Amino acid sequence: LLVHESIADKFAAALTEKCAQLKCGNPFDPCTEVGTVISEDAACKIEQRVQESIELGSKLLTCHRRT
């Protein structure tokens, strides 16, 4: 996702707010908007990529912990 630097902070704040409103949970629950990842391996790869991005200078704006 590319956003012009002149609006980056405003865009990031708005996107973070929208993401915080998403309902995470059981994929069989019709109210769930974000369900599970396909496997433990896939979840670990996602976590690894997020951590690598942070180490390279990315800023984590929101986070949902796995249960």
Side-chain angles (χ1 to χ4, degrees):
L1 180 63
L2 298 175
V3 178
H4 193 276
E5 64 185 339
S6 66
I7 62 165
D9 291 339
K10 185 176 180 178
F11 179 85
L15 182 60
T16 300
E17 183 179 329
K18 288 290 185 185
C19 288
Q21 295 171 6
L22 293 172
K23 183 178 184 314
C24 301
N26 185 333
F28 295 108
D29 179 347
C31 294
T32 296
E33 298 171 303
V34 180
T36 57
V37 178
I38 192 71
S39 67
E40 178 67 19
D41 185 52
C44 289
K45 285 179 183 177
I46 293 168
E47 288 178 330
Q48 179 183 358
R49 289 185 179 138
V50 169
Q51 187 58 42
E52 289 171 355
S53 294
I54 292 168
E55 290 169 5
L56 292 172
S58 294
K59 183 178 175 184
L60 185 64
L61 300 176
T62 188
C63 184
H64 177 76
R65 299 273 183 233
R66 290 195 303 146
T67 56

